[in-house]
Amino acid sequence: MYDEKIINTMADKVNELLVKYNEICEANENLRNELVSVKAQNEAKSNQIMRLEEELKNKNKESIDIVKSIEAVLGK
C-alpha cells in the first residue's frame, strides 16, 4: 500500500516534469523561430542601409560634380 502511494506520487511528478519539459520545448521552438525571423529582418535592414549609403554616395558625387560645373561656368 505504501509502495503504491510512492509509485503513484513519483508517476505524478514524472508526468508534471514531462508537461513542463514539453512546455519549455515549445517555448524554445517559438524563441528559435523568432530569432530566425529577427535575423532575417536584420539582414534586410542591413541590405537597405547599404543601398541607401550607396545612393547617398552617388548623390554626393552628383552634387560635387554640379558645384564643379557651376564654378567652371563662373570661372573660379
Side-chain angles (χ1 to χ4, degrees):
M1 169 100 172
Y2 183 71
D3 289 339
E4 187 176 318
K5 183 176 180 181
I6 292 174
I7 291 172
N8 287 337
T9 302
M10 289 177 67
D12 289 343
K13 295 295 181 183
V14 168
N15 287 333
E16 287 176 27
L17 286 172
L18 285 173
V19 167
K20 286 181 182 181
Y21 174 79
N22 289 329
E23 289 172 353
I24 290 171
C25 285
E26 184 178 339
N28 190 34
E29 184 63 27
N30 290 338
L31 288 172
R32 184 178 288 114
N33 291 338
E34 185 177 345
L35 179 62
V36 168
S37 175
V38 169
K39 282 183 176 181
Q41 290 173 9
N42 184 44
E43 181 69 23
K45 295 289 182 186
S46 293
N47 289 338
Q48 183 180 19
I49 288 169
M50 287 190 312
R51 182 182 53 81
L52 291 171
E53 286 174 341
E54 188 65 30
E55 286 178 17
L56 181 60
K57 187 170 78 174
N58 290 338
K59 295 290 182 185
N60 285 340
K61 185 179 181 307
E62 289 174 15
S63 296
I64 290 170
D65 290 345
I66 290 171
V67 168
K68 285 180 181 177
S69 296
I70 291 172
E71 287 175 344
V73 168
L74 295 175
K76 291 188 175 182

